[in-house]
Amino acid sequence: MKLVCETCLVKRSAPPVKRPFQRSILAIGRNREKKTDETVIMLITNANKSGTQYAIKNNIGKVFTRFLSDGKATISFKIPDQDMQIKCDTVQLSGFLKVLKSVVSGEAIPNENSNPPKLSCLTMANRKTSVLSSTSKSLSTRCVVKSRGDYPIKGFSRNLVSLQISEIKLTRFDPQILLLKNLRSLNLSDNCLDMIPKALGQLRIAELNLSGNSLQKDRWEWLQEHTIQSSLQNLNIGSNNLAQFPINIIYLRMLVNLNMQANHIQKLPFAIWKMTRLRFMNLSGNQLGSIPESMVRMKLDQVDLSENQLAQNQVTVPDLRLQQSDIRQTPALWELAARVVVARKIHYSIGMIPFLLVELMHRTPICACGLLCFTSRIHERAKVIRLNCQHTIINSNHAIYADSVFCSQRCSSRI
């Protein structure tokens, strides 16, 4: 049994040091040096092409398979005192561990035969080591498809880290992509996609390019998955005929770079200020007439607002501050409770309070004084604001106006 994978050896008695994984070959078989039936695991790497053997019988302390679904496992040896961390395709790794289990227990492999597996003698051959330096598609970690002829007939390698499928008029999301557990960069630009499956949010993708498609009717449910919310750092959804800002983007708490250029977006959500890690934002070529005042709380390195409708004449922006007659009546009980939670900075999570209230508190606009505005109406005002940004790009005859909300009549009268 042979497995092409990536391994990392960690010595338990040594101080913890982060070590890189290296391409390896793992094989289970009989000891090549002894005329016995002793079975061993042989580890072959570029640094050690002669191979290192590890005894199996009474020498494996434990096999950790908690993250097997992600293609990861760890074998803990007694002698030497090392842990072998393995990264590989989930299916192949599962098969390797089944053979290992049958060797340790002396039982037959399920659905194979009624006898323990017959293992050949492990011998070193040049063809085995050549696999480590192979550039074949089966071991490739990158794939670029820019024409129909480039599409792999036998499917994508499960080892892919980067995948680009662009400019081929793809109309349907390929479900094979959802099987690539190691994928970190995905480029599906310049196609004809109109929907992204929710399961994409279960991949730990760091860079995603969906520009040049037709996602104006997509529900963006894939952005609600916890995995992609904690991994995605770069998102490009430019040129997708978007009429509205997809609200689920605000949950991408690790997002650093957001590109939404060349769409038809007219308003930004007030809750955008909660994207605390966002540093680069491209909103050029949209239909923005103003931006939320809450954006002054963001620490951006660069924001591009060029080619929008940010007119310079203040007369075109009406001043609709709250009037005395607009003072609302007694707030609802849920609003009073939410104000206490926010004012006293009480920790809350889904499960402690209803999910609907969690969503409301997350998306509620914020007044310039710092208080949340639960039932206030949104008002435009003729006021130019300055963002907390190192580089702001706008047209020379434009100015940035703010959409504002007011938590009280007092705040409204201060303007």
Side-chain angles (χ1 to χ4, degrees):
M1 175 67 183
K2 183 179 70 173
L3 178 70
V4 179
C5 59
E6 294 182 351
T7 62
C8 177
L9 293 175
V10 178
K11 191 172 182 180
R12 294 190 296 272
S13 60
V17 179
K18 188 174 182 180
R19 301 178 183 276
F21 281 79
Q22 53 184 339
R23 183 169 292 181
S24 312
I25 296 176
L26 284 178
I28 299 178
R30 291 185 287 111
N31 194 322
R32 66 186 181 184
E33 298 177 352
K34 299 180 180 180
K35 296 180 180 180
T36 64
D37 292 332
E38 179 186 7
T39 53
V40 297
I41 295 178
M42 177 183 284
L43 171 64
I44 305 170
T45 64
N46 279 323
N48 184 11
K49 295 185 178 181
S50 60
T52 302
Q53 295 189 16
Y54 298 86
I56 293 180
K57 188 175 181 180
N58 299 324
N59 191 42
I60 295 182
K62 194 171 184 180
V63 179
F64 300 90
T65 59
R66 181 179 179 183
F67 300 103
L68 182 59
S69 59
D70 296 329
K72 300 177 182 179
T74 300
I75 301 175
S76 181
F77 296 103
K78 296 179 181 178
I79 302 176
D81 61 333
Q82 291 180 340
D83 291 339
M84 181 187 294
Q85 300 175 358
I86 307 171
K87 291 199 304 186
C88 184
D89 174 72
T90 302
V91 176
Q92 297 180 21
L93 182 56
S94 298
F96 181 84
L97 294 178
K98 286 181 180 179
V99 173
L100 178 61
K101 180 180 178 181
S102 65
V103 171
V104 173
S105 62
E107 299 175 354
I109 303 176
N111 302 324
E112 291 284 340
N113 50 52
S114 59
N115 299 315
K118 295 181 179 180
L119 302 173
S120 59
C121 180
L122 291 174
T123 56
M124 195 61 225
N126 290 333
R127 61 185 181 86
K128 288 185 178 180
T129 57
S130 63
V131 176
L132 297 176
S133 57
S134 172
T135 57
S136 63
K137 291 184 179 180
S138 62
L139 291 177
S140 176
T141 59
R142 299 181 183 275
C143 179
V144 177
V145 178
K146 301 192 74 172
S147 68
R148 292 285 180 176
D150 295 336
Y151 223 93
I153 299 176
K154 296 183 179 180
F156 298 109
S157 167
R158 299 295 177 85
N159 298 317
L160 283 183
V161 175
S162 175
L163 174 61
Q164 177 180 348
I165 308 175
S166 58
E167 304 176 15
I168 64 170
K169 297 182 179 180
L170 190 70
T171 58
R172 178 174 172 269
F173 190 95
D174 192 340
Q176 293 184 75
I177 299 175
L178 303 177
L179 302 176
L180 307 178
K181 300 300 182 181
N182 296 324
L183 197 64
R184 297 296 178 265
S185 176
L186 178 60
N187 186 341
L188 298 175
S189 60
D190 300 318
N191 285 294
C192 302
L193 297 174
D194 59 3
M195 186 189 71
I196 303 299
K198 186 176 181 179
L200 179 66
Q202 299 174 7
L203 297 183
R204 196 167 294 278
I205 297 177
E207 183 176 351
L208 180 60
N209 188 343
L210 297 173
S211 62
N213 284 280
S214 301
L215 297 176
Q216 64 270 25
K217 295 183 179 180
D218 189 55
R219 299 178 64 181
W220 305 92
E221 293 180 332
W222 52 280
L223 290 178
Q224 296 177 346
E225 296 292 328
H226 175 76
T227 303
I228 201 165
Q229 288 179 1
S230 60
S231 65
L232 192 59
Q233 300 178 17
N234 296 279
L235 176 62
N236 188 342
I237 52 174
S239 303
N240 269 285
N241 297 316
L242 300 179
Q244 297 179 343
F245 185 100
I247 189 62
N248 288 337
I249 291 180
I250 67 175
Y251 299 113
L252 298 175
R253 55 183 178 275
M254 303 302 293
L255 196 66
V256 176
N257 191 336
L258 175 61
N259 190 333
M260 300 183 65
Q261 63 178 346
N263 283 293
H264 309 292
I265 299 172
Q266 300 180 6
K267 293 289 184 180
L268 299 179
F270 278 83
I272 195 173
W273 70 276
K274 294 200 172 184
M275 302 175 67
T276 56
R277 292 181 180 267
L278 194 64
R279 293 295 178 267
F280 302 91
M281 184 162 52
N282 189 344
L283 294 167
S284 62
N286 282 279
Q287 299 177 14
L288 295 172
S290 58
I291 64 173
E293 189 180 17
S294 59
M295 283 186 62
V296 299
R297 297 174 175 269
M298 304 176 69
K299 296 181 180 179
L300 299 169
D301 290 338
Q302 179 174 305
V303 59
D304 190 343
L305 295 170
S306 60
E307 299 181 26
N308 278 278
Q309 299 179 3
L310 303 171
Q312 193 176 24
N313 186 4
Q314 293 188 7
V315 178
T316 63
V317 184
D319 185 355
L320 301 176
R321 288 174 290 175
L322 286 172
Q323 304 299 322
Q324 188 69 28
S325 59
D326 293 327
I327 300 177
R328 62 181 185 273
Q329 299 179 357
T330 304
L333 182 60
W334 69 265
E335 179 177 340
L336 294 175
R339 287 184 179 276
V340 172
V341 170
V342 174
R344 299 187 180 182
K345 298 181 180 180
I346 300 174
H347 174 74
Y348 64 90
S349 61
I350 299 176
M352 296 178 61
I353 60 177
F355 176 77
L356 177 60
L357 291 185
V358 175
E359 286 289 287
L360 287 172
M361 294 176 69
H362 189 81
R363 300 185 184 187
T364 298
I366 187 170
C367 180
C369 70
L371 294 179
L372 296 181
C373 306
F374 291 96
T375 56
S376 295
R377 290 182 295 173
I378 299 175
H379 299 272
E380 293 179 336
R381 65 182 182 190
K383 177 187 176 182
V384 178
I385 63 171
R386 185 172 183 177
L387 297 176
N388 184 14
C389 180
Q390 296 184 10
H391 303 283
T392 303
I393 304 174
I394 58 174
N395 290 20
S396 58
N397 61 334
H398 285 177
I400 303 177
Y401 291 99
D403 289 337
S404 305
V405 293
F406 310 105
C407 66
S408 64
Q409 179 69 24
R410 179 183 299 178
C411 285
S412 173
S413 61
R414 288 175 180 175
I415 308 305

